[in-house]
Each structure stands twice: as structure tokens, then as C-alpha cells.
Amino acid sequence: MKQLLELFLAFARVGVMTFGGGYAMLPILEREIVENKGWASHEEIMDYYAVGQCTPGVIAVNTATFVGFRTAGAAGGIAATLGVVFPSVVILSLIAGVLTNFADIPAVRSAFAGIRVCVCVLIFNAVVKLWKGAVPDKAALCLCLAVFVLSVFLKVSPVVFVVLCAAAGILFTRLGVRGK
């Protein structure tokens, strides 16, 4: 029971600090789950993120479910999932009725514009953190650049890119291209 409460509270801390969605939460999630709690490694978090991107639902919720399940089984998955969504439910419930009354006030619009800028920086920080572990060699760099270019010009589901990159990773390893 104590571990379930720890999972709930850890993910509630992540949830309350997450502005801008799943990508923006990566640095907070890594600090809480990898560095503070040791429930997953940096590589595992990146794997959970990749799978969370491909599965239906919100990345933050999917990642919380994966970590919670790995840590304490089905009950852990439920506790972590409830923890990560709880702050949003409370905050949205409190401001939903009030926000529409104040949305046209210039100060409120300006505040949201500032928050959007902050979210962009948080997402950029997440990319930098992911880059360090995800692009260890020239083969991974080429794959990363190819996916980036293709994703800019093609309207293809991220699932397709993940599946193709998984296949390329297997192929690169079998051909001995990785690690050079």
C-alpha cells in the first residue's frame, strides 16, 4: 500500500508540474522517476515514451501506466495513472467555469502567451535530454535526420516512423553498423 501511495504522489507531482503535454513533462518525469525514485532508467523512460507515443491515449498517462505497472503490477499502473491525471482534473474543475469569464482580458491572454513560450522551452529541453541517449552513433544520427526530414514533409503517423526505426535498429545491429 505504501508503494502505491508513493507511485500516486510521485506521478501527482509530475502531473501538477506538467504544462504543455507529454513532451514537456519529460525532464520532470526523468528527475522524479529516474533520479529521485530509481523506478526506471533513462533508457527505459525513452522506451516508455516511444511506446506511449504509439499507443492510444495521452503520452503522460501511458508512460505513468507503464512505470507504475513495472514497479507494482496492475495496482501500481492504476495508482500512477490516477496520480498523473489527478492534478489536471482538479485544476480544470476549478478553472473551467471561471476561465471563460476572463479569457478576453488582455492580462490573461498575455499570461497564456508566456506559458506557451515556457512550454516550448520545456519541450526543447526534453529533446536535448532524449538526444543524448537516443543518438549515440552515426547510424542513429542518420536515422534521426531521415525521420525528421520525412516527418516535416510527409503526413505519416508517428507509429509508422517508430515501427520503421525499430526495424532499422534491428537491421543496423545485425549488419554491424551500430556503435561506429
Side-chain angles (χ1 to χ4, degrees), residues 6-180:
E6 280 186 46
L7 278 164
F8 178 86
L9 293 175
F11 279 97
R13 282 191 294 276
V14 170
V16 81
M17 298 304 295
T18 301
F19 296 94
Y23 296 112
M25 76 176 261
L26 183 60
I28 299 164
L29 181 71
E30 279 196 279
R31 184 174 47 250
E32 186 67 30
I33 304 310
V34 176
E35 297 167 15
N36 293 349
K37 298 293 185 182
W39 288 333
S41 68
H42 290 285
E43 292 79 19
E44 289 170 325
I45 288 294
M46 286 192 299
D47 291 343
Y48 294 150
Y49 247 63
V51 174
Q53 176 73 33
C54 297
T55 53
V58 180
I59 296 170
V61 174
N62 294 345
T63 304
T65 305
F66 295 144
V67 172
F69 184 82
R70 181 179 176 268
T71 304
I78 292 168
T81 301
L82 291 175
V84 81
V85 299
F86 180 74
S88 297
V89 170
V90 171
I91 292 168
L92 287 174
S93 296
L94 293 174
I95 66 170
V98 178
L99 186 59
T100 55
N101 296 332
F102 298 103
D104 292 329
I105 296 174
V108 173
R109 283 197 313 263
S110 297
F112 278 112
I115 290 171
R116 283 191 299 272
V117 170
C118 179
V119 167
C120 289
V121 172
L122 292 173
I123 291 171
F124 178 76
N125 287 339
V127 168
V128 170
K129 278 191 157 204
L130 281 171
W131 183 271
K132 292 176 184 176
V135 186
D137 53 37
K138 291 178 184 176
L141 177 62
C142 290
L143 194 58
C144 179
L145 293 174
V147 169
F148 175 74
V149 170
L150 290 172
S151 68
V152 168
F153 294 109
L154 301 177
K155 300 290 184 210
V156 177
S157 168
V159 174
V160 172
F161 289 122
V162 171
V163 170
L164 291 175
C165 287
I170 292 168
L171 182 64
F172 288 170
T173 301
R174 292 208 174 165
L175 295 175
V177 177
R178 297 296 315 244
K180 293 183 181 180

